[in-house]
Amino acid sequence: MPYEPPTHTVERSLRATTGAKIVAGVDEVGRGAWAGPVTVCAAITGLRRPPEGLTDSKLLTIKRRTELAAELRKWVTSYALGHASPEEIDDLGMTAALRLAAGRALDALPVRPDAVILDGKHDYLGAPWRVRTVIKGDQSCVAVAAASVIAKVQRDKMMAELGIDHADFGFADNAGYPSPVHKTALAERGPTPYHRLSWAYLDALPQWRHLKKVRSCTDGSVPEIEGQLGFDF
């Protein structure tokens, strides 16, 4: 389906209304997966014309997404990735884990952004960052779209590598998200060291339910934003 290319409209608005000179786009991948980290990319692009075909990573074929990620790594002014592990997700919850991963990505940039464009409607970053949330920002904002593609390709690569010793789970194909192959392997073999053990899918697996973790740390300052997928859907 045709789609409108992303623009610098939000970045220009932030520059005009807040005086921000350096604006980073931030997007995550892996929020709904059952296994693996949640990964966040922060990208600074300036106001240059982006590579042709840039959009939300989910709208691209694997081949095009991989090619575009390679272009973007050279094209962006700078980018950095941050991850929160399955253990951190279990301990903190997804909202706090996203904040942790995003903070790691932003802190790893060579320059500190004056403002952040965050994909979605929830500001899981908060102070001290100056944040503008944009629903479907990965389609409409250049910097967020760039972050989306780089994050997706990097996490997919990580999951394929983690899956080498767990071939039955198909991580190279499903990236830790629920799929028929993943669900079958999980029911038969139980969770790998890379699974999130506080999640609801374990409730439907009586033989592995004893492995479920109770979150040891909660943060009520921001509502949880994960909408976990159950085993049956």
Side-chain angles (χ1 to χ4, degrees), residues 14 45 53 56 70 76 88 118 144 158 162 169 174 176 207 210:
L14 277 170
T45 66
D56 172 14
V76 298
E88 289 170 327
L118 187 62
V144 180
M158 291 173 61
L162 292 178
F169 288 82
N174 60 49
Q207 68 274 45
H210 65 285

Side-chain angles (χ1 to χ4, degrees), residues 21-177:
K21 295 181 179 180
I22 301 172
V23 179
V26 170
D27 198 16
E28 54 75 26
V29 64
R31 181 186 300 177
W34 288 357
V38 63
T39 295
V40 175
C41 180
I44 298 172
T45 66
L47 301 177
R48 294 170 298 143
R49 182 183 179 89
E52 189 70 27
L54 177 63
T55 188
D56 172 14
S57 64
K58 297 185 291 295
L59 300 179
L60 300 168
T61 64
I62 295 175
K63 181 176 183 294
R64 180 55 186 145
R65 188 165 60 224
T66 303
E67 294 171 346
L68 190 55
E71 293 180 54
L72 288 168
R73 291 188 193 101
K74 299 176 182 178
W75 175 80
V76 298
T77 303
S78 59
Y79 78 92
L81 292 148
H83 312 278
S85 68
E87 293 82 7
E88 289 170 327
I89 294 170
D90 287 336
D91 287 343
L92 303 173
M94 183 53 74
T95 301
L98 279 169
R99 184 185 303 119
L100 183 65
R104 287 168 174 167
L106 288 163
D107 287 342
L109 289 170
V111 293
R112 185 178 178 85
D114 301 310
V116 174
I117 304 172
L118 187 62
D119 181 51
K121 63 180 180 180
H122 296 283
D123 177 9
Y124 55 77
L125 262 174
W129 302 101
R130 179 184 291 168
V131 176
R132 174 77 61 85
T133 58
V134 179
I135 296 173
K136 294 188 177 180
D138 47 10
Q139 295 181 37
S140 61
C141 302
V142 169
V144 180
S148 166
V149 173
I150 294 171
K152 173 65 174 168
V153 170
Q154 180 62 30
R155 187 180 182 278
D156 283 356
K157 180 182 177 182
M158 291 173 61
M159 291 306 300
E161 292 171 351
L162 292 178
I164 291 174
D165 294 330
H166 302 277
D168 291 349
F169 288 82
F171 288 162
D173 297 317
N174 60 49
Y177 284 84

